[in-house]
């Protein structure tokens, strides 16, 4: 089953962000922790499950496998999906300005 463009899981979103630069699994986990400022720490079980699914969906690809480590990279389809999700999240934030306006209106 391929990615249908619906809302992404948080794990998918951060993995795609981390793979804007080709990376291996451990680097991806480190990058996610760093970008999320420690809010999200992804374990190997979750990461490799997400990587496998996203590879099947064509969102990422294996760019190098030297037998010791696999380097993954985002595909054009993955970057398109990431940008669509980014726009969706921005819309959610924009639509939520009512929370900042309070109950005065």
């Amino acid at each position: 089953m391929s990615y249908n463009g619906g809302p992404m899981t948080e794990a998918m979103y951060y993995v795609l962000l981390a793979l804007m630069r080709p990376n291996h699994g451990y680097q991806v986990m480190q990058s996610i922790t760093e970008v999320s400022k420690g809010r999200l720490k992804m374990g190997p079980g979750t990461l490799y499950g997400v990587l496998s699914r996203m590879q099947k969906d064509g969102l990422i690809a294996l760019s190098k496998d030297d037998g010791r480590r696999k380097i993954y990279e985002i595909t054009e389809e993955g970057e398109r999906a990431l940008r669509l999700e980014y726009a969706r999240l921005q819309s959610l934030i924009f639509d939520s300005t009512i929370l900042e306006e309070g109950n005065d209106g």
Side-chain angles (χ1 to χ4, degrees), residues 10-71:
E10 190 173 32
M12 288 175 67
Y13 187 79
Y14 276 96
V15 167
L16 287 177
L17 274 179
L19 292 177
M20 289 299 291
R21 289 187 216 120
N23 262 327
H24 60 78
Y26 182 73
Q27 287 177 322
V28 170
M29 288 189 291
Q30 294 297 312
S31 177
I32 290 170
T33 300
E34 183 181 321
V35 168
S36 70
K37 297 175 180 56
R39 185 181 59 78
L40 183 62
K41 294 181 181 173
M42 192 175 297
T46 301
L47 175 68
Y48 288 105
V50 170
L51 287 173
S52 174
R53 190 170 124 216
M54 294 176 85
Q55 196 174 359
K56 286 179 189 168
D57 290 348
L59 299 175
I60 64 170
L62 196 60
S63 67
K64 185 179 174 186
D65 183 356
D66 65 5
R68 267 188 40 230
R69 61 172 70 159
K70 295 178 180 178
I71 307 290

Side-chain angles (χ1 to χ4, degrees), residues 93-104:
I93 297 298
F94 180 79
D95 294 347
S96 301
T97 55
I98 193 168
L99 291 173
E100 294 181 10
E101 294 169 357
N103 295 327
D104 297 337

